């Protein structure tokens, strides 16, 4: 029993103060934290003088030596003119050695009439609630912060998991991997887990949640086999006073080459060329010469021919709307037409071999087919 009581006293260091107006105290979870270890701080103020309505205002001083986050504030009334306010903070020291946290504490007193006018919204009241303000000096909170090793990326108790949907893919198929980092401790500042991989297009979307969970969504595109490197994150647990490393093994990805020509079959493939209306123009020209201007004006056959020509080339609009090399490459592959093969090769060289190509020139050439 004595041992348990002693542990509680060591964990909660309570500083008690007093005045004729208010009783107030600090409660601190740890005065000797490690760098970036969370320290819980609670400040309680209770009204003593019951001659007026009383409010409390606590404002912390900023410092580059720590991060301070307000966790919550609660106001309660035990009885008439007996207010109690509790402030809760979480402090993360950012350097080793001695650091100091200071607050400005103010007691605001107001009469019942002033409070009634303020809350009823009397339009004749120009000023805010009239209060008598009393500043009370608080003792500084002092911490002796313990250092940690260099190279540590996470402080706290974390775990890292990975989901790999597939390790065998084909060319132009996207590989998806999701890393999930979660736990308790100093919030992670990691922006990425993987370096760039040579010859591989890499995309990342990071979801950062308030509950200490970070989700790294990776997508990869490659023409050849590649390796997703292993992940190692050095960590320190202040609770266990222990260093540890989060590890994810490397992933070997097999990429099967895709031969577009072999995907075509006689039954389902489209014809290599569409019906060419322009081949009929000489016949139409001869016919038009035999018709009168009246018939030409009424039927407007040339306009009809232009519409037919546009309708039989819907691919041209899709080609024109392609925003980049990758979207144009997907469009050409989906058409299953051998006549696009030279342009497909040129786009592949641009995307995967970093060879320069003129996208507008390719679009212009395609539109002439």
């Amino acid at each position: 029993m004595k041992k348990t009581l002693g542990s509680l006293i060591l964990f909660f260091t309570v500083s008690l103060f007093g005045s004729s107006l208010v009783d107030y105290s600090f409660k601190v979870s740890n005065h000797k934290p490690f760098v970036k270890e969370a320290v819980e701080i609670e400040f309680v103020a209770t009204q003593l003088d019951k001659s007026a309505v009383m409010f409390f205002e606590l404002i912390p001083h900023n410092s580059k030596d720590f991060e301070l986050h307000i966790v919550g504030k609660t106001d309660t009334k035990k009885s008439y003119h007996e207010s109690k306010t509790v402030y809760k903070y979480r402090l993360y020291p950012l350097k080793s050695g001695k650091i100091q946290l200071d607050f400005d504490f103010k007691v605001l007193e107001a009469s019942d009439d002033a409070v009634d006018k303020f809350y009823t919204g009397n339009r004749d009241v120009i000023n805010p609630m009239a209060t008598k303000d009393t500043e009370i000096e608080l003792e500084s909170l002092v911490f002796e912060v313990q250092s940690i090793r260099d190279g540590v990326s996470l402080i706290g108790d974390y775990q890292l998991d990975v989901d790999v949907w597939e390790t065998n893919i084909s060319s132009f198929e996207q590989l998806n991997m999701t890393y999930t980092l979660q736990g308790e401790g100093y919030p992670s500042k990691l922006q990425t887990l993987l370096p760039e991989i040579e010859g591989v297009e890499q995309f990342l979307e990071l979801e950062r949640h308030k509950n200490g969970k970070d989700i790294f969504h990776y997508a990869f595109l490659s023409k050849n086999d590649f390796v997703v490197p292993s992940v190692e994150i050095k960590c320190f647990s202040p609770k266990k006073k222990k260093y540890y490393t989060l590890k994810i093994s490397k992933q070997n990805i097999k990429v099967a080459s895709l031969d577009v020509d072999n995907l075509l079959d006689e039954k389902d493939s489209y014809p290599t060329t569409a019906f060419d209306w322009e081949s009929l123009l000489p016949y139409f020209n001869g016919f038009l010469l035999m018709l009168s201007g009246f018939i030409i004006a009424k039927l407007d056959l040339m306009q009809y021919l232009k519409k037919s020509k546009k309708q039989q080339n819907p691919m041209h609009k899709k080609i024109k709307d392609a925003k980049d090399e990758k979207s144009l490459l997907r469009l050409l592959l989906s058409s299953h037409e051998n006549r696009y093969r030279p342009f497909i090769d040129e786009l592949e060289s641009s995307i995967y071999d970093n060879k320069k190509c003129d996208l507008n020139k390719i679009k212009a050439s395609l539109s002439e087919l």
Side-chain angles (χ1 to χ4, degrees):
M1 182 64 183
K2 290 182 179 179
K3 184 176 181 181
T4 303
L5 181 60
S7 299
L8 290 172
I9 293 173
L10 287 174
F11 182 76
F12 292 107
T13 302
V14 181
S15 302
L16 296 174
F17 308 90
S19 75
S20 59
L21 296 176
V22 60
D23 268 344
Y24 49 94
S25 62
F26 275 113
K27 185 183 291 185
V28 179
S29 66
N30 187 0
H31 281 278
K32 294 184 178 181
F34 288 92
V35 172
K36 295 183 180 179
E37 179 182 1
V39 178
E40 306 299 331
I41 300 171
E42 183 178 279
F43 177 81
V44 181
T46 305
Q47 181 176 352
L48 291 180
D49 186 343
K50 296 179 174 56
S51 63
V53 179
M54 195 171 289
F55 306 92
F56 307 113
E57 186 178 90
L58 185 69
I59 301 175
H61 293 189
N62 294 325
S63 173
K64 63 181 180 179
D65 295 339
F66 55 79
E67 287 183 19
L68 185 68
H69 305 275
I70 185 164
V71 178
K73 176 190 174 186
T74 57
D75 295 294
T76 56
K77 270 192 175 181
K78 293 184 177 180
S79 62
Y80 182 66
H81 286 184
E82 188 176 358
S83 298
K84 179 181 179 181
T85 300
V86 178
Y87 286 87
K88 292 184 178 180
Y89 295 91
R90 183 172 294 120
L91 178 138
Y92 294 102
L94 300 179
K95 72 166 195 174
S96 60
K98 182 179 178 180
I99 65 171
Q100 181 173 305
L101 172 59
D102 294 294
F103 291 89
D104 291 330
F105 179 45
K106 187 183 295 184
V107 178
L108 296 82
E109 300 174 80
S111 66
D112 290 326
D113 289 340
V115 174
D116 289 341
K117 288 181 180 180
F118 178 78
Y119 284 110
T120 55
N122 188 334
R123 65 182 181 181
D124 295 328
V125 178
I126 299 176
N127 295 322
M129 185 189 302
T131 62
K132 175 185 175 183
D133 299 351
T134 302
E135 294 187 6
I136 298 178
E137 185 175 352
L138 301 180
E139 291 185 11
S140 301
L141 296 180
V142 179
F143 303 89
E144 294 291 339
V145 183
Q146 304 178 64
S147 62
I148 59 174
R149 296 176 189 168
D150 293 335
V152 173
S153 299
L154 291 175
I155 309 296
D157 297 284
Y158 286 91
Q159 64 182 39
L160 180 65
D161 300 297
V162 65
D163 287 324
V164 186
W165 313 128
E166 188 65 60
T167 57
N168 293 279
I169 60 173
S170 58
S171 296
F172 314 110
E173 184 179 356
Q174 180 175 292
L175 170 72
N176 296 307
M177 293 181 66
T178 299
Y179 295 85
T180 302
L181 177 67
Q182 58 186 333
E184 294 182 354
Y186 182 71
S188 168
K189 305 294 184 182
L190 296 173
Q191 297 298 319
T192 185
L193 300 178
L194 297 172
E196 294 294 327
I197 306 172
E198 187 176 354
V200 178
E201 287 189 80
Q202 181 175 308
F203 308 92
L204 169 62
E205 180 184 353
L206 173 58
E207 291 182 33
R208 207 178 284 284
H209 298 264
K210 291 182 178 180
N211 62 354
K213 177 188 287 188
D214 289 351
I215 304 177
F216 299 80
H217 297 283
Y218 281 95
F220 305 93
L221 283 173
S222 178
K223 194 175 179 181
N224 303 305
D225 295 350
F226 64 97
V227 176
V228 179
S230 61
V231 177
E232 292 191 3
I233 305 174
K234 294 182 179 180
C235 314
F236 175 71
S237 170
K239 288 182 180 180
K240 301 175 183 177
K241 296 180 174 57
K242 180 181 178 181
Y243 293 90
Y244 64 100
T245 302
L246 298 176
K247 295 182 179 181
I248 297 293
S249 300
K250 67 180 181 179
Q251 301 289 333
N252 295 311
I253 309 302
K254 297 292 184 180
V255 181
S257 59
L258 184 64
D259 190 345
V260 178
D261 291 338
N262 291 336
L263 294 177
L264 301 176
D265 57 57
E266 294 180 358
K267 183 178 179 180
D268 296 327
S269 61
Y270 296 100
T272 55
T273 58
F275 181 73
D276 190 359
W277 284 95
E278 293 181 354
S279 63
L280 298 179
L281 285 178
Y283 301 97
F284 278 113
N285 288 335
F287 177 73
L288 290 173
L289 291 174
M290 297 174 62
L291 296 176
S292 66
F294 174 78
I295 297 176
I296 294 174
K298 288 292 184 181
L299 298 180
D300 200 2
L301 292 179
M302 290 302 295
Q303 182 177 353
Y304 171 76
L305 288 173
K306 290 178 181 177
K307 289 182 179 178
S308 299
K309 183 179 178 181
K310 291 180 181 178
Q311 291 174 356
Q312 71 89 25
N313 280 310
M315 189 68 171
H316 288 178
K317 185 177 186 306
K318 294 181 180 179
I319 291 171
K320 182 179 179 181
D321 292 341
K323 296 181 179 180
D324 52 29
E325 288 86 347
K326 191 179 298 182
S327 57
L328 181 57
L329 177 60
R330 291 196 183 102
L331 176 63
L332 298 182
L333 287 170
S334 66
S335 69
H336 305 293
E337 294 201 28
N338 287 330
R339 59 177 175 161
Y340 294 146
R341 186 72 252 179
F343 302 102
I344 290 174
D345 292 339
E346 187 173 353
L347 289 169
E348 286 180 350
S349 297
S350 173
I351 295 171
Y352 298 106
D353 299 330
N354 295 321
K355 292 184 179 179
K356 292 184 179 180
C357 74
D358 190 332
L359 183 61
N360 292 329
K361 185 177 179 181
I362 293 176
K363 286 184 177 181
S365 299
L366 288 168
S367 299
E368 294 175 0
L369 295 180

